[in-house]
DNA sequence: CTATGCGGACGTACTAAGTACGGTAAGTAC
DNA sequence: GTACTTACCGTACTTAGTACGTCCGCATAG
């Protein structure tokens, strides 16, 4: 029998793509702290040092998975209605960052954008320019929109809330050790809003996005 | 001679406060990666394990310095003109995060707010409420403003730019390895705006802040 | 078929970091 | 003085990133 292919039950060959996908799976499951060379190797059913045949070092892996996240964001189409296109891309970006919250804190430290990141920025800028924005206005709009989108994702990820049922416990824990009378506005806000049934911070996103896009128009 | 006081040239006693100040100095100087127990100890002229007599673990140090950053933000005063007060606090917040850019990526993972953080949130919410915002509108405004402020700080910190003279080199490095024709909008934007003398991303902050505050009014 | 070369996977081991555990010395209360 | 407390430190264990060298299996040359 020819040995040109591996036995069916063998794992496929390692590759840069498989390393990055494995790394993303690890980060999704356990957060950035769980992302170690050893955990990635285990996820891929391989020994740690094998990973290094496909990526230079851990930083390259991190750069790679950040670009993977950008590749999940729907690109706006330059030439079409800018407001609708930017809205679609913003909603998509927020969803991507919700799926991969660990990516947010990496956005800051990564200075080696990958191809998906470049395509993304190019498409956003092109959509604004062809939507009638001058170069200077494009800069304003780009800064405002992305600050809002990424900032919202940051706030959302900072909330230790995973499902409505966890809200009361978290709120109680945050206030524990403090005198409630010292923070009357915070207490009123918690009781009258956050602790109400049906509270969902994520719903705020659309409200702010509409306000921002209208303000730019 | 009495030994009730240490010799003059001796370092002062360690304390939780000195540990946090030392940790902040280390982070300011070398970023989060440089923040290790050993580096903090060296900064304080002490051995590593001595630090642990004043803080429970490294996480407690991180929680502590995040709260220190919040303590540097000017609080808005409930009852006064909300727009002016929120603007002052937002400008102050952005400046604090520029002094301590490492704090941004920590905002996300910290779920144990300190007293300064609580005071800050309380003051912001109080200012909005007494500015005439309903509880629901306060939630909208709070989410929008803070998303913008923190998101802007995140974007600003993500730029590997430290002074105008470094811009061309960074831009060149980012495009290196890519075909410029693939990203025409990005190239136009870079050439026509970013590479112009006097370009300063930070100046965008005020523009977006005004737009956001006006939209809320 | 055998020999040979190459590249992917791996074993070992070094360094740095967090921190558990117990020791020691200086101060404090009586 | 004696006993207790507090602050500081020495040692050592564990987990991480990764440099270095080895081995094995496949592909191609002969």
């Amino acid at each position: 029998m020819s040995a040109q292919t591996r036995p069916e039950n063998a794992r496929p060959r390692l590759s840069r793509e498989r390393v990055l996908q494995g790394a993303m799976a690890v980060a999704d499951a356990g957060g950035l702290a769980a992302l170690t060379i050893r955990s990635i190797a285990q996820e891929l059913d391989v020994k740690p040092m094998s990973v290094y045949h496909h990526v230079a070092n851990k930083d390259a892996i991190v750069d790679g998975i950040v670009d993977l996240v950008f590749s999940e964001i729907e690109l706006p189409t330059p030439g079409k209605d800018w407001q609708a296109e930017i809205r679609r891309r913003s909603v998509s970006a927020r969803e991507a960052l919700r799926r991969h919250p660990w990516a947010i804190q990496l956005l800051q430290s990564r200075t080696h954008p990958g191809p998906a990141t470049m395509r993304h920025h190019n498409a956003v800028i092109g959509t604004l320019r062809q939507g009638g924005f001058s170069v200077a206005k494009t800069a304003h709009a780009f800064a405002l929109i992305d600050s809002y989108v990424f900032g919202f994702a940051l706030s959302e990820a900072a909330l230790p809330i995973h499902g409505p049922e966890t809200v009361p416990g978290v709120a109680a824990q945050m206030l524990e050790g403090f005198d409630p009378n010292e923070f009357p506005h915070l207490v009123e806000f918690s009781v009258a809003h956050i602790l109400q049934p049906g509270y969902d911070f994520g719903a705020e996103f659309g409200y702010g996005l509409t306000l921002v896009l209208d303000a730019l128009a």
Side-chain angles (χ1 to χ4, degrees), chain A:
Chain A
M1 144 173 20
S2 144
Q4 73 189 15
T5 57
R6 301 184 150 240
E8 319 239 339
N9 55 351
R11 57 204 180 187
R13 289 278 281 271
L14 221 48
S15 66
R16 179 186 150 85
E17 280 62 42
R18 287 197 63 234
V19 168
L20 293 183
Q21 281 163 11
M24 192 147 167
V26 169
D28 285 345
L32 266 196
L35 189 72
T36 69
I37 298 292
R38 290 167 224 268
S39 67
I40 297 169
Q42 193 170 20
E43 167 82 19
L44 297 169
D45 195 20
V46 138
K47 302 291 171 173
M49 287 313 291
S50 307
V51 170
Y52 281 95
H53 273 269
H54 303 275
V55 295
N57 50 37
K58 193 181 172 181
D59 258 26
I61 296 178
V62 171
D63 284 339
I65 59 177
V66 168
D67 201 54
L68 268 188
V69 172
F70 268 96
S71 77
E72 292 185 6
I73 300 175
E74 289 178 32
L75 295 181
T77 307
K80 298 176 76 171
D81 172 42
W82 72 267
Q83 209 161 342
E85 291 300 306
I86 294 292
R87 171 181 291 277
R88 188 167 54 78
R89 144 4 267 218
S90 298
V91 169
S92 171
R94 181 236 173 177
E95 284 168 356
L97 290 175
R98 208 147 71 129
R99 281 193 298 275
H100 313 294
W102 42 265
I104 300 164
Q105 58 200 140
L106 294 181
L107 293 179
Q108 177 185 9
S109 44
R110 297 299 110 188
T111 56
H112 285 138
T117 308
M118 302 287 281
R119 265 194 298 278
H120 171 264
H121 290 154
N122 183 65
V124 170
I125 290 170
T127 302
L128 291 171
R129 288 289 282 127
Q130 299 199 10
F133 285 76
S134 70
V135 170
K137 290 278 184 192
T138 296
H140 291 150
F142 190 55
L144 172 56
I145 296 167
D146 269 23
S147 292
Y148 174 66
V149 172
F150 292 131
F152 190 90
L154 180 66
S155 305
E156 195 169 25
L159 296 173
I161 294 174
H162 307 285
E165 64 288 346
T166 65
V167 172
V170 169
Q173 194 189 352
M174 278 183 53
L175 282 169
E176 131 190 337
F178 293 109
D179 176 5
N181 296 323
E182 199 181 342
F183 311 114
H185 306 300
L186 202 51
V187 169
E188 180 217 33
F189 188 71
S190 302
V191 171
H193 193 71
I194 295 175
L195 294 176
Q196 292 304 306
Y199 168 74
D200 176 17
F201 177 76
E204 300 285 355
F205 182 68
Y207 177 87
L209 184 59
T210 299
L211 224 62
V212 164
L213 293 179
D214 283 353
L216 283 169

